[in-house]
Amino acid sequence: MIFEESRNLNDRFLGARKSLVAMFPGDRRPGKSYSGFVKAARRLGPQAMEVMKAHFREHHQRVAGRHSKRFGWVAFAADGSRVEVPRTACNQEAFGCAGRDKTGPQLALTTLYHLGTGLPWDWRIGVGTEAERVHLRAMLATLPDGALIVADAGFTGYDLLKDLLEGGRSFLIRVGANVSLLTKLFSVDVEQDGDIVWLWPQDKRNLPPLKLRLIRLPRKSGSPQEAMCLLTNVFDRQRMSEEIAACLYEMRWGVEVFYRAFKRTLDQHKLRSDAPEQAKWELHWAMMAFLLLGLMTVEGIIDRGRDPLSMSVAAALRIVRQVMREPQRCWRHRGDLRFLLGEAQKDEYVRTSSKKARNWPHKKNQLPPGVPKIRPATLHESLRAQRVYIAA
């Protein structure tokens, strides 16, 4: 249904049913009504979705192979977005307004995006006001051992970083002007390394400060923005050099491209379900459909010896829709679906002009996060930090 081009849910169901009947002509026919499909889907609890996601994560690892690591890390980008739902009375009551004034009800979607394959690893869905950090905490248990989390400045909270440190998780997170860092909190660390900083907000002074490493990346030539600052708990400079940190954080942009493809190419910027629970299920199935499409395509691309990040979502969707319309003809003349999807790759030619729109009135012009406030710790703060450590 997600791959169908129709706008109406009932039309999508009828189109998907027609494709299934054509693909499996000798099998038992599925139900004929969308309302009956919804009733049957309600019998699937949240546990069923988690079982399917776990199954696809195992397949994801097998498909990725040597591409599971980039620069020696199994890296995942964490980021969130909002998806609109119809402005029905029950949706407004259940989800409220999460954006600007006069915006409609929305769902919050937070995704762990695998930098090696360019596909979602896990996701969480909630009302539009739910925090990305809460969703990320719920997904930490699904990460493989040795994973690295790469995130923007929205994930620099003390509580989240403390949980990551205590859970043995590695991270690389941008830090902005809304964060204050201390240096010279303990003289021994200053002598060992000048990039050691401590995160110790005023409202957390009864808890131990967090020891972190600050990576300063110089701004690009001609850029008016200030230097980018990243926080990490990886102190090994060979394993996490400035060059590797810069490359990994630049790859984080892939999650933004994923959301664009999910919302626009797959046409999921606004859901179509009028009821709150059904809207959540629709978003879950849309994410599952994107993951399934990606896994099939990436497997075909890797079979051809290409990088999975060369996948074109638009080309893959075009192939799947063609097969859905004429399944027997596609099988007979061109082989299996994985072979066809192996051709769904991005253009390789060098562009002579920018693809950016000349004048986009809805473009967001957000200011960069800036640089954190960094200052040496006072003698009183150093003594207090020692007492907190002893008490802990």
Side-chain angles (χ1 to χ4, degrees), residues 200 205-206 379-389:
W200 203 22
R205 291 299 169 93
N206 60 326
L379 177 60
H380 173 73
E381 288 173 328
S382 297
L383 294 175
R384 183 172 181 178
Q386 294 178 19
R387 290 196 298 269
V388 172
Y389 264 110

Side-chain angles (χ1 to χ4, degrees), residues 152-168:
D152 61 13
F155 292 86
T156 49
Y158 176 93
D159 293 330
L160 175 59
L161 297 189
K162 182 173 179 291
D163 290 345
L164 293 176
L165 287 169
E166 292 177 349

